[in-house]
Amino acid sequence: MADRVAIVGVAQTRFSPRRADASYAELAYEVIERVLAETGLEIERDIDNTISCSHDIWDGQTISNIGITDVIGGHLRTEEKMAMDGATAVYYGAIGILSGEFDCTLLLAHTKMSQTNRNVVNNVAFDPVYTRLLGFDYTSAAALQARRYMHVYGISAEQVARVVVKNLGNAVRNPAAFHGQRVSLDEVLSAPVVADPIRVLDIAPDADGAVALILASEEKARAVLDTPAWVLGLGACYDAHYLGDRDLAECMALERAAGMAYRMAGLSDPRRQIDLVELGDEFAYQELLWLEGLGLCERGGGGRLTESGATAIDGALPVNPSGGLLGGVPANVAGLNRVAEAALQIMGRADGHQSPGVEIAVAQGHSGFCGQHHCVVVLGKEPR
Amino acid sequence: MKRQVAIVGGGQTYHASRRHDVNQVELVNEAVRAALADAQMTMDDIDAVLVGNMEFFEGCHMTDCWLVDGSGAYGKPGLKITTGGTVGATIVVAGAHHVASGLFDRVLCIGFEKQEEGDTSAILSAVAHPLFGRSLAGAATGYFAMLAASYMHAYGAKEEHAAMVAVKARQNARKNAYAHLKLDISVEDVLNSRMLAYPLHLLDMCPISNGACALILADEQTARDRCQKPVWIRAAETAHNEQFELDWRDVTTTKPIFSRVCAGRLYKKLGVDDPATFFDVFEVYEPATWAEIIWYEDLGLCGPGEGFRLVEEGKTEIGGPMPVNPSGGVLSTNCIGASAMLRIWEAALQIRGDAGEHQVPKDVNWALTTAYGGTNWTVMTALSRQWEE
């Protein structure tokens, strides 16, 4: 790309199952204050665009960015809200800077899942005419996808359970995660079934929290710090809505989003060039399926890749060293947390879960059940 | 912006309070097909699809995901933005940034609302802060009643002045095939209509409409190669007001407020000294009659307290020197997620000379549009017929 965009700062709340002490605006304030302090940037002087990412129905308030206009610095200034997974906020924020219209953009994602019931919220994401009345939620839809995927590619329950063991183990090392624990394969495989084949530990737990991230143009970024995480590639794509219109074992939208992002980043051989992945493991099987969609292994190869140990934090291709969403990250915040974690790895600031020598990292987030909309962001230590 | 961006096509639905014949996907599809036909394009030409809609109004989470069959987003990049009444304009600005970034050449922008499937007034009372504002449950009517009372008190305007705006809007709407409220009404009819909250009568307020609007934006090359009458997006500005800064409903406030700040920035960008003569037509987002009068003043078409005089003198009629909302405006058609985009599309039609019966009878080279949403937010755009350096 002619001009360049970089991530210059990241702040995350410690995620928690319940933050009854803070409203979503207070969670937002917490991370915005921190990211400004860390980067030395000031809203009035430096930030010329702000984008928040949340969903009105999760927030229980229509046009819910009304609740954070003050803390995000939106008063009498440019402020937008998007209702997507947080990775798409990075995609959109970067487009704003590449357009030449903005120089420095503050991104925020926030959700308090404790304030409502995920099953009810998920259910109204299904079309009101045909599928909502069946009582679907994301978990029951995911069960269909998991079954289909396991059937088509011969993925075993053990291979999926290895994702849980790995990610919950990684989360122990991540101070922002709350769901970290050392669990055995047996414990994962004998946990209560929620929607066959999905068991309790296969599901990202409810969480409250917020993430703030600052994107800047090259000139601005270089003025803030020497080692920003450069945004090398961006991609997004929608799949069909109705489950019956998709082959749930395939992920066309992710393949296209990844293709777009890799082309932009100039990655000709992503399997060799990508050092680390942070992806949306809302359900454990999705880590395997999304790795395939990202082109990081052959179709049906996600299970074997995980068995080989390659995706472990010290493996050849660490996947979700942060513990991923299984480690406890709120819905919608999920994708911004993925990009933030990938950026921290590039910057060498991932505390207890840092992987050595990360030059290129890829982050993925999805919106909608069974990953209807995917967004892929490629980050690099060096600009292209 | 790094690349010039033009509106190369657009379309809208016929707006109505009942559209039981279509679901949301089909409603949106009507506008998308109209826009593609207008641009002489197919979905194969479109690089990305952006959607604006407030999910709570219809009680549908992630409407953009449900819409893919109607929006054409299947297999394409896209996203959804929700900034209240402003969203139709926010989506167009987002589309312009997509094109200007160089990553996309042709972007489809969609705004819609199917209000009959929810209860917008009830949902809008939940816009307010859950602890400090919600129990007032004022929604839009309560808010504009306070604004109107303040204006009348400060400047001596009468209910009749607002009624003249109501008549102008609905008479203009009668010339617009797509408008919702095509009412042959008089000032007396407005004054005799039911009182909602003093001084607002039923006919002082916008309707609850179902409808959609879609625009196709393109880069300069596409615009010049494939479009007979491209309309250039010359500048756009956004300003949001913080929710607890609302004491400016005292219209005499000297505090900086969203509308004046936003117009000031836009004019500075374009070097506009006298907006009343610089722009040939205005499409403003007026959910209530009084809001239009106050827009005149906040946009600098007249001085403070003089807005109602412009109405009295007929200056903002279709044939007047500064026509405002020849389409009939939001007072005649309010499908919220589409309303701000309709302002831009109607302004573009005026520039193209394609507005039909409600075309203003003069050359239109420049048009100004405003949006209105949230707790007093606006997005303004300036459009032009020519791109001269």
Side-chain angles (χ1 to χ4, degrees):
Chain A
M1 62 183 107
D3 290 339
R4 295 159 170 168
V5 180
I7 295 169
V8 298
V10 166
Q12 316 195 58
T13 57
R14 190 180 192 287
F15 302 117
S16 149
R18 188 173 169 80
R19 279 292 303 271
D21 61 307
S23 69
Y24 67 75
E26 289 164 325
L27 290 178
Y29 185 71
E30 195 179 310
V31 288
I32 291 169
E33 278 285 283
R34 287 221 323 266
V35 78
L36 291 173
E38 175 194 302
T39 53
L41 296 169
E42 287 174 22
I43 289 208
E44 288 286 331
R45 188 190 62 203
D46 301 301
I47 306 289
D48 55 8
N49 188 25
T50 61
I51 300 169
S52 67
C53 196
S54 78
H55 287 269
D56 290 355
I57 289 183
W58 277 109
D59 297 336
Q61 182 171 15
T62 195
I63 323 170
S64 65
N65 52 325
I66 281 171
I68 49 102
T69 310
D70 47 359
V71 300
I72 204 169
H75 183 53
L76 300 181
R77 293 152 51 82
T78 299
E79 184 219 346
E80 285 180 29
K81 170 185 161 176
M82 52 196 308
M84 302 296 293
D85 169 72
T88 318
V90 177
Y91 165 95
Y92 181 48
I95 286 171
I97 293 174
L98 292 173
S99 78
E101 192 71 0
F102 303 114
D103 203 30
C104 192
T105 297
L106 171 62
L107 305 178
L108 166 75
H110 59 84
T111 299
K112 288 188 74 181
M113 295 176 80
S114 68
Q115 285 188 169
T116 183
N117 177 317
R118 73 194 288 167
N119 307 89
V120 173
V121 172
N122 290 345
N123 179 244
V124 291
F126 289 81
D127 88 279
V129 185
Y130 302 108
T131 46
R132 190 184 297 176
L133 300 177
L134 297 173
F136 268 114
D137 58 23
Y138 284 18
T139 309
S140 50
L144 296 178
Q145 186 170 41
R147 250 316 155 224
R148 172 76 186 154
Y149 171 54
M150 291 165 78
H151 171 75
V152 171
Y153 290 109
I155 301 291
S156 69
E158 288 74 17
Q159 288 174 325
V160 176
R162 282 181 194 279
V163 171
V164 182
V165 173
K166 169 179 73 73
N167 289 2
L168 294 187
N170 290 350
V172 171
R173 303 161 68 159
N174 176 3
F178 69 86
H179 206 235
Q181 49 196 300
R182 305 277 177 210
V183 290
S184 67
L185 269 182
D186 279 348
E187 284 171 296
V188 178
L189 291 168
S190 58
V193 173
V194 179
D196 183 68
I198 292 177
R199 293 170 185 269
V200 167
L201 289 171
D202 293 323
I203 306 173
D206 279 8
D208 290 357
V211 172
L213 185 151
I214 297 179
L215 289 174
S217 65
E218 177 168 15
E219 192 186 347
K220 190 85 179 173
R222 292 195 188 279
V224 174
L225 80 172
D226 296 332
T227 54
W230 297 94
V231 177
L232 305 182
L234 303 165
C237 187
Y238 282 102
D239 208 325
H241 178 72
Y242 296 100
L243 294 170
D245 287 348
R246 305 187 226 169
D247 183 339
L248 295 175
E250 308 301 325
C251 30
M252 173 279 287
L254 178 53
E255 287 168 358
R256 288 197 188 182
M260 180 178 163
Y262 296 162
R263 270 194 306 282
M264 183 173 160
L267 298 185
S268 51
D269 187 359
R271 286 187 204 182
R272 285 189 44 219
Q273 289 167 297
I274 290 169
D275 300 314
L276 181 139
V277 182
E278 283 282 347
L279 55 71
D281 53 336
E282 187 184 2
F283 300 96
Y285 76 88
Q286 289 180 342
E287 179 164 314
L288 308 182
L289 186 51
W290 298 166
L291 278 171
E292 297 169 25
L294 286 166
L296 299 176
C297 59
E298 70 282 5
R299 297 313 325 271
R304 286 189 300 279
L305 187 70
T306 303
E307 269 174 344
S308 76
T311 61
I313 198 164
D314 52 0
L317 178 68
V319 178
N320 286 339
S322 66
L325 306 185
L326 292 174
V329 181
N332 318 320
V333 175
L336 194 58
N337 170 260
R338 306 270 59 65
V339 178
E341 286 291 347
L344 289 172
Q345 293 283 353
I346 295 272
M347 294 167 163
R349 287 174 32 206
D351 294 341
H353 55 290
Q354 179 69 45
S355 172
V358 181
E359 296 286 330
I360 292 183
V362 62
Q364 172 272 349
H366 59 272
S367 303
F369 47 84
C370 300
Q372 191 191 338
H373 177 276
H374 284 274
C375 181
V376 175
V377 178
V378 180
L379 302 179
K381 198 165 199 156
E382 300 299 330
R384 279 184 52 84
Chain B
M1 291 192 290
K2 274 195 328 219
R3 299 209 295 174
Q4 299 172 12
V5 183
I7 298 168
V8 298
Q12 59 184 305
T13 58
Y14 292 93
H15 306 288
S17 38
R18 292 287 175 268
R19 282 302 305 272
H20 290 174
D21 58 317
V22 290
N23 65 22
Q24 293 170 43
V25 182
E26 293 160 336
L27 181 75
V28 160
N29 191 246
E30 286 180 13
V32 169
R33 283 178 189 274
L36 288 168
D38 182 67
Q40 295 182 294
M41 288 185 182
T42 68
M43 278 311 296
D44 291 342
D45 293 307
I46 302 297
D47 299 329
V49 179
L50 314 184
V51 174
N53 159 260
M54 267 55 66
E55 61 182 24
F56 241 135
F57 290 162
E58 289 90 1
C60 285
H61 189 33
M62 304 202 184
T63 30
D64 54 318
C65 284
W66 177 32
L67 283 183
V68 293
D69 291 339
S71 68
Y74 173 77
K76 293 186 190 295
L79 49 86
K80 177 185 166 196
I81 294 175
T82 58
T83 59
T86 42
V87 77
T90 309
I91 283 287
V92 174
V93 176
H97 292 164
H98 271 64
V99 173
S101 75
L103 297 176
F104 308 88
D105 289 338
R106 293 166 298 275
V107 176
L108 174 62
C109 302
I110 301 168
F112 85 100
E113 217 73 56
K114 194 153 188 280
Q115 294 198 66
E116 66 184 334
E117 295 186 15
D119 184 340
T120 311
S121 292
I123 292 296
L124 274 176
S125 17
V127 153
H129 192 283
L131 300 179
F132 306 121
R134 197 166 292 179
S135 55
L136 299 173
T141 309
Y143 174 74
F144 285 110
M146 290 190 278
L147 188 69
S150 164
Y151 187 89
M152 289 168 69
H153 176 73
Y155 301 124
K158 304 283 183 227
E159 287 172 57
E160 285 77 0
H161 294 108
M164 290 177 206
V165 176
V167 170
K168 170 174 80 72
R170 278 52 175 264
Q171 293 292 350
N172 288 353
R174 294 178 71 214
K175 303 185 171 90
N176 176 359
Y178 296 97
H180 177 184
L181 291 187
K182 298 180 219 176
L183 304 177
D184 186 10
I185 53 167
S186 65
V187 166
E188 290 68 37
D189 294 329
V190 180
L191 296 175
N192 290 331
S193 67
R194 184 159 62 91
M195 184 68 79
L196 299 177
Y198 179 83
L200 290 187
H201 298 266
L202 182 66
L203 289 170
D204 280 312
M205 283 301 292
C206 58
I208 295 172
S209 312
N210 299 313
C213 182
L215 293 186
I216 297 169
L217 309 187
D219 65 301
E220 184 180 6
Q221 196 64 42
T222 305
R224 296 203 191 281
D225 290 352
R226 297 186 57 175
C227 184
Q228 302 277 320
K229 299 184 225 175
V231 174
W232 302 96
I233 300 176
R234 302 300 297 272
E237 277 293 330
T238 299
H240 283 194
N241 233 91
E242 199 277 322
Q243 62 178 335
F244 295 116
E245 284 281 320
L246 284 184
D247 58 314
W248 73 268
R249 66 192 161 213
D250 166 10
V251 296
T252 60
T253 187
T254 52
K255 232 179 199 178
I257 60 169
F258 73 110
S259 46
R260 297 175 204 161
V261 166
C262 196
R265 285 206 295 255
L266 191 84
Y267 297 163
K268 193 174 165 201
K269 234 181 205 178
L270 294 169
V272 175
D273 294 325
D274 179 12
T277 54
F278 186 92
F279 295 102
D280 304 303
V281 68
F282 302 82
E283 278 284 341
V284 303
Y285 195 122
E286 30 43 304
T289 46
W290 293 96
E292 177 164 325
I293 293 174
I294 292 168
W295 270 126
Y296 300 162
E297 300 174 13
D298 290 349
L299 290 175
L301 306 185
C302 60
E306 294 171 4
F308 70 104
R309 301 284 176 211
L310 290 190
V311 181
E312 236 172 27
E313 294 157 10
K315 293 259 175 69
T316 58
E317 300 275 347
I318 281 190
M322 45 182 108
V324 177
N325 289 7
S327 65
V330 178
L331 281 172
S332 305
T333 306
N334 188 25
C335 27
I336 304 175
S339 291
M341 195 179 291
L342 284 169
R343 306 280 68 70
I344 295 172
W345 176 228
E346 286 290 347
L349 286 172
Q350 292 288 347
I351 285 174
R352 285 171 27 164
D354 288 341
E357 270 191 76
H358 63 286
Q359 180 71 42
V360 301
K362 62 173 179 178
D363 282 347
V364 180
N365 291 308
W366 280 89
L368 178 69
T369 76
T370 74
Y372 200 145
T375 51
N376 296 290
W377 300 343
T378 192
V379 179
M380 297 183 184
T381 68
L383 310 177
S384 78
R385 182 202 298 264
Q386 306 289 341
W387 187 291
E388 67 290 329
E389 283 308 324

